[in-house]
Amino acid sequence: MEAQKKEFSGEYVLGLMLSPDMTKVVLLMKDRPASLAGMLNGVGGHVEAGETPVQAMVREFEEEAEVHTLEGDWHAFATKVGPGFRLTCFFSVHEAYNKVRTMTSEPVAVYERELLHGQPVLPEIFELLAMVDRQVPITASA
């Protein structure tokens, strides 16, 4: 139990970048920590000293997916607080979603949302995507 507390201590960010039509999402395949290895998750990581969560989100997305974004591209929509940790979740609807590249040992890719069921996706990602859907206005085509 003590090792698990150390695994998730500090402040973190998690970002979901979606295609403009909301049908695709950028996820990465976790290889660490051990409790998340082999699971698809959003892009994110630690908030460093002196950073705000949104600054960390911009930095993490560029470091892990090689896509430069701006603070205004990210919208905080959920926060999870647990013993010794805080996770701020962001989303971005961005035309550069298809320009992501793997920059670390954790592969980053674009996934069709309708095909995510049956994939090794962290269950919380489905709830987070549903929360994003409730926040993004739907525009009807004429």
Side-chain angles (χ1 to χ4, degrees), residues 47-64:
V47 176
E48 294 182 357
E51 277 185 322
T52 65
V54 72
Q55 289 169 335
M57 190 66 252
V58 168
R59 177 185 52 77
E60 287 287 348
F61 206 84
E62 188 159 9
E63 287 177 0
E64 295 182 6

Side-chain angles (χ1 to χ4, degrees), residues 4 9 100 103:
Q4 189 173 16
S9 64
V100 296
M103 301 305 296

